[in-house]
Amino acid sequence: MADTQADSDARQVSLRDITGKNVKAILALSVSEDQKKVYPRSNAYSIAEGHYPPDGDPVWMRAIYAGEIPIGFLMTSEVPERGVYFLWRLMIDAGHQGKGYGSRAVELLIERIKASPNAKELMTSHLVHDGNAGGFYQNLGFEYTGEVLDGDDHVMRMEFLGT
């Protein structure tokens, strides 16, 4: 019964613009204290960084909602003309984790990217200390590339063939 409820709740996930009406709610979301070791950036930091990306690539940011409740944040760096997308940030508030919301948010992102005319790959990474993230992304179809950035940031890729 609990799985059925979680599945039902996850189907209600949507990705929405961050606006003046919801930005305070998004800024108030946070991971648990233990998770801050592997997810050190706040949503405020991420939103600021998204407006001034270090590499200059376009950034797409969205609030993650479950029904009408803001529960997370997602940010990608994108080079659509090359068909390359990078899931830069994904966070689900500590009080809303374990309900399938993160998986559904990434599925919605993948659907959006696949609908793009030149989609080739979606990449992401996770810190070595957050091994659970690797399994999470593998369950969604990502594979390790073997590349490790800065000694502890494991790169993963999902390729889109024939889209």
Side-chain angles (χ1 to χ4, degrees):
M1 177 85 160
D3 287 340
T4 304
Q5 181 64 40
D7 290 343
S8 175
D9 291 346
R11 283 193 293 274
Q12 295 180 26
V13 169
S14 60
L15 304 178
R16 301 185 189 180
D17 288 331
I18 298 170
T19 68
K21 292 182 179 182
N22 67 5
V23 69
K24 285 184 181 178
I26 301 309
L27 296 178
L29 301 173
S30 181
V31 295
S32 70
E33 286 302 316
D34 289 347
Q35 291 172 312
K36 287 182 181 177
K37 295 175 203 156
V38 292
Y39 192 91
R41 306 285 192 243
S42 68
N43 288 345
Y45 181 95
S46 296
I47 290 169
E49 193 173 33
H51 283 287
Y52 304 99
D55 58 9
D57 287 342
V59 172
W60 189 75
M61 294 181 278
R62 290 297 183 268
I64 302 170
Y65 274 72
E68 294 303 313
I69 301 168
I71 54 132
F73 173 77
L74 180 142
M75 182 167 83
T76 60
S77 175
E78 306 186 346
V79 188
E81 62 275 5
R82 289 195 355 237
V84 178
Y85 299 80
F86 191 93
L87 177 53
W88 194 1
R89 300 273 160 63
L90 172 66
M91 77 79 61
I92 301 295
D93 183 75
H96 298 283
Q97 293 180 11
K99 300 175 184 176
Y101 297 145
S103 295
R104 183 63 186 138
V106 174
E107 289 168 357
L108 291 171
L109 173 66
I110 291 166
E111 290 172 16
R112 174 187 165 266
I113 292 170
K114 282 184 170 182
S116 303
N118 191 31
K120 293 182 180 157
E121 66 183 11
L122 172 59
M123 299 183 73
T124 194
S125 65
H126 72 88
L127 297 176
V128 69
H129 309 294
D130 190 13
N132 291 339
F136 169 82
Y137 288 120
Q138 283 178 314
N139 287 339
L140 289 165
F142 286 84
E143 297 178 353
Y144 284 101
T145 66
E147 184 178 4
V148 179
L149 306 172
D150 300 324
D152 67 348
D153 200 5
H154 294 266
V155 178
M156 301 181 82
R157 172 187 294 124
M158 174 184 288
E159 293 185 84
F160 305 118
L161 304 174
T163 56

